[in-house]
Amino acid sequence: MIAFIAGQSAPPGKQMGHAGAIISSGSGTAQEKVQALISAGVRVAQEPSEVPLILKEQLSK
């Protein structure tokens, strides 16, 4: 599985993208979502353009 979380580059206090849209009571930030996915064994792309590169890498294993 590969994931990309939008809103990672948002400045503190500013919500951008879907990840920012569902922050509730100060929890559920983009970085918290990235860490949760990584903890679950999911590769997380930092940029959307990394998704095909990660996919190609995983398929070649």
Side-chain angles (χ1 to χ4, degrees):
M1 180 177 283
I2 304 167
F4 170 75
I5 301 296
Q8 295 182 65
S9 62
K14 181 166 175 86
Q15 295 181 355
M16 294 173 48
H18 186 68
I22 57 175
I23 294 173
S24 173
S25 303
S27 65
T29 65
Q31 190 55 40
E32 289 172 338
K33 293 169 198 243
V34 168
Q35 290 305 313
L37 287 163
I38 291 170
S39 294
V42 176
R43 289 281 307 268
V44 179
Q46 296 300 308
E47 300 287 335
S49 60
E50 292 179 358
V51 172
L53 301 173
I54 294 170
L55 179 60
K56 183 177 179 181
E57 176 187 309
Q58 289 186 346
L59 290 174
S60 68
K61 290 182 179 182

